[in-house]
Amino acid sequence: MSFLLWIADRWFFLLPLVLGFIAIWELLPKARRPQTLLAAAVGIGSVVIAGFLMPRFTGPNVPLAFDLLFCAFSALAILAGAAMILQTNPVYAALWFALVILATCGLFLLQSAPFLAVATITVYTGAIIVTFMFVIMLAQQSGQAEYDRRSREPFLASLAGFLLLGGLLYAVEVTYRPTSHLSELRDRLQEAISLLESGEAAQIEPALARLNVGGPLTFTDLLVDEARRVPAWPLMAERAQQAAELVRQLQLAAARQNAGEVRSGAQALFALTDEFEAAHSQYLGQLRIPEAVTPHISPLTRKHPGSSYVTGLGRALFGDYLYAVELAGTLLLMATLGAILITRRQGEAEA
Amino acid sequence: MSGPAPHNSLIVGGVLFCWGAIGFVARRNLIVMILSGEMMLQGVALNLVAFGAHFRSFEGQAFIVFMLTVAACEAALALALILVLYRQRRSLDVSVWQDLREPGLEPVVDLEPLEEAHPVVVPVAYPRLTPAGRRPVPVPPSIPPLPEPAASTPTSQPPGEEARG
């Protein structure tokens, strides 16, 4: 039963996952002719449903254009990526991959990484895709090869992939789900306060029933959970303890049948949840990127505050990571030599 | 002007990573497998950018520069290996190399025949470069069978000689 509840609580990301799984499984190349149109419709539908249902977590004050661009680039990346692995012609697969790269470069730009966007386009679409195309042209046999029209264990492969995806999404959801039970807790507190408005002792029981104090998942636990949901909140432990203490006083007041005390206790709790809510929204606001990314990695970088983006990245690369950059350069050289040596034919090696 | 929260990018990066994983496991064309691996790298890059923006540091972006380097090296070496493999068996199918599998595993055999209704694409002629100093030959309507490398260069011929002759 609790498992069903768990699923019902998370249907908004389980539904697109299941639909996407069906679409990918059906569309992976296989001997049987797939229901292409139907499966493609299901797949696109699952992406659209995910876009509408998944908590967007954007927080307040995000411009609409930003949201729209993000959604467009994400949808493009996801759909083009799916098309790449489903494509039976490797030339088209490489072109779809180029589209994935362009879409992710758009996402890079949105996250204030313009240098990386340009570098990725140059390296991937400029160099890697072209090399892939060369090899495809060199090795491609006429028409579509049989092995391109079959895949190994399409059901198990897509099942494994979607289990992995579900795990990743679950981790993100558990970590960053912003709303949780806070609004529900506040509603119940509000109801209890209004029930106790008259100050009659007879209303204490129903009011406490609203707060579900003493149930399997107690009000205290939920409140403490809410306090812990904001990572790195300096007042977290203090506020959690305060919430537990307030609930205990509420129970004592209820035992004394003092409606006024219970009511003021509930109001104090409500004021505390106000603070929780403020901490939540502040946390969500902090998650957004400020206008300029200020470098603060090393003393070398810190010497030049307010330097521009490329300057900061350059200082990080050629200051903090100088050895790594040299190593990467050596690695590239070795890889080039290795590629040339590997592709040499036996006869040429001796000549 | 503000940026997106990192979670959305984490989700998109995770989806790209899983697409790549599915493609790498399921597809049989060596080139498509390597492309899927590159797509997994791209998903990781998206996560790194999102975290770098979240923590307001350049470290995530610096890592991606190294990732690009390693991806370029990997692509070069993988394509070289694919060329060598292709020369040996004249096929990009990974299943022709399945005698490298673990001992005790059954070989994978395609039992189900391909459905006739599956669309068969007519061969397309690819352009070919004419070596310097020769008169260009018009492209034939369909691709001629690829010459065996041993047949085209029967003796150990330096690569430059063919162009001169």
Side-chain angles (χ1 to χ4, degrees):
Chain A
M1 193 59 207
S2 64
F3 179 66
L4 285 181
L5 278 178
W6 188 90
I7 287 186
D9 197 26
R10 285 164 183 79
W11 65 276
F12 56 88
F13 84 75
L14 287 176
L15 177 68
L17 268 184
V18 172
L19 286 182
F21 165 69
I22 293 171
I24 292 278
W25 170 39
E26 178 65 26
L27 283 174
L28 269 176
K30 55 179 85 149
R32 185 171 58 79
R33 189 182 186 177
Q35 302 282 337
T36 315
L37 278 181
L38 192 65
V42 168
I44 293 174
S46 76
V47 171
V48 171
I49 290 175
F52 276 110
L53 288 187
M54 292 233 180
R56 207 67 63 65
F57 312 126
T58 34
N61 303 328
V62 171
L64 178 68
F66 204 102
D67 222 5
L68 287 181
L69 279 177
F70 188 88
C71 287
F73 282 132
S74 314
L76 188 64
I78 289 171
L79 289 178
M84 192 216 99
I85 60 170
L86 302 175
Q87 185 56 249
T88 50
N89 189 336
V91 179
Y92 289 158
L95 291 179
W96 280 117
F97 180 67
L99 196 56
V100 174
I101 299 294
L102 290 180
T104 42
C105 284
L107 291 178
F108 285 177
L109 273 182
L110 285 183
Q111 311 201 35
S112 51
F115 173 77
L116 273 187
V118 176
T120 309
I121 289 180
T122 315
V123 172
Y124 267 104
T125 33
I128 294 185
I129 292 289
V130 172
T131 326
F132 270 104
M133 286 298 191
F134 262 112
V135 175
I136 293 172
M137 300 295 177
L138 206 65
Q140 179 75 7
Q141 292 173 343
S142 56
Q144 272 175 316
E146 192 189 329
Y147 52 83
D148 271 332
R149 290 162 53 186
R150 294 179 190 275
S151 39
R152 263 171 304 154
E153 304 287 350
F155 178 76
L156 287 181
S158 37
L159 184 67
F162 273 86
L163 281 182
L164 176 63
L165 183 56
L168 292 176
L169 287 187
Y170 180 65
V172 171
E173 194 246 346
V174 164
T175 317
Y176 291 115
R177 196 177 187 180
T179 50
S180 66
H181 298 94
L182 193 60
S183 59
E184 191 199 336
L185 289 181
R186 284 166 66 83
D187 286 349
R188 291 169 120 196
L189 273 172
Q190 199 69 275
E191 278 176 34
I193 291 171
S194 58
L195 268 178
L196 291 164
E197 202 72 64
S198 55
E200 286 168 29
Q203 297 293 346
I204 292 178
E205 270 313 307
L208 280 189
R210 292 265 180 260
L211 298 186
N212 192 24
V213 180
L217 190 60
T218 64
F219 200 76
T220 323
D221 292 342
L222 284 178
L223 268 178
V224 171
D225 262 7
E226 286 309 319
R228 295 213 177 113
R229 203 170 280 277
V230 184
W233 188 24
L235 298 173
M236 182 178 81
E238 195 186 320
R239 290 293 178 264
Q241 206 183 355
Q242 207 174 341
E245 178 64 25
L246 277 174
V247 173
R248 210 170 56 80
Q249 281 175 9
L250 197 72
Q251 281 168 317
L252 286 178
R256 284 200 297 273
Q257 293 289 309
N258 189 335
E261 262 184 58
V262 175
R263 183 159 173 266
S264 57
Q267 274 166 344
L269 270 177
F270 193 76
L272 196 64
T273 56
D274 266 346
E275 206 173 333
F276 284 2
E277 204 166 39
H280 269 298
S281 57
Q282 196 195 354
Y283 172 61
L284 285 180
Q286 277 171 0
L287 290 179
R288 286 180 287 111
I289 304 160
E291 201 161 321
V293 179
T294 45
H296 66 264
I297 303 173
S298 73
L300 186 77
T301 323
R302 216 178 287 134
K303 261 187 222 161
H304 304 268
S307 51
S308 73
Y309 165 77
V310 178
T311 322
L313 184 60
R315 280 183 203 288
L317 270 180
F318 295 106
D320 299 323
Y321 297 104
L322 183 61
Y323 291 122
V325 168
E326 296 294 333
L327 262 180
T330 319
L331 182 69
L332 264 179
L333 181 65
M334 299 312 290
T336 317
L337 288 179
I340 293 171
L341 277 179
I342 289 172
T343 40
R344 265 185 151 192
R345 295 199 176 112
Q346 288 300 318
E348 292 172 22
E350 287 138 26
Chain B
M1 181 63 198
S2 49
H7 335 103
N8 306 317
S9 300
L10 294 191
I11 291 174
V12 179
V15 171
L16 283 186
F17 187 85
C18 292
W19 281 179
I22 293 174
F24 192 84
V25 175
R27 296 303 304 270
R28 283 170 54 173
N29 190 321
L30 279 169
I31 289 178
V32 177
M33 284 172 72
I34 299 294
L35 274 177
S36 303
E38 301 280 342
M39 191 149 72
M40 291 170 85
L41 284 181
Q42 202 59 30
V44 176
L46 204 51
N47 279 11
L48 281 177
V49 164
F51 276 125
H54 181 185
F55 295 111
R56 298 176 208 179
S57 83
F58 283 112
E59 287 181 29
Q61 304 195 7
F63 280 162
I64 296 182
V65 174
F66 298 125
M67 239 183 67
L68 278 181
T69 318
V70 174
C73 296
E74 179 230 307
L77 287 178
L79 288 175
L81 287 173
I82 287 176
L83 267 189
V84 172
L85 293 180
Y86 175 73
R87 277 189 204 139
Q88 300 217 355
R89 299 271 169 104
R90 291 272 126 196
S91 168
L92 286 176
D93 189 1
V94 264
S95 296
V96 301
W97 295 98
Q98 61 177 321
D99 40 347
L100 294 175
R101 68 188 180 276
E102 269 182 69
L105 282 183
E106 291 296 314
V108 180
V109 188
D110 300 326
L111 292 174
E112 210 178 342
L114 282 175
E115 235 175 52
E116 282 306 308
H118 218 80
V120 176
V121 177
V122 285
V124 187
Y126 295 123
R128 300 183 146 228
L129 288 178
T130 310
R134 283 195 199 160
R135 192 177 293 276
V137 184
V139 179
S142 72
I143 291 185
L146 279 174
E148 287 291 319
S152 65
T153 52
T155 54
S156 57
Q157 202 178 18
E161 207 160 299
E162 207 177 291
R164 262 181 263 128

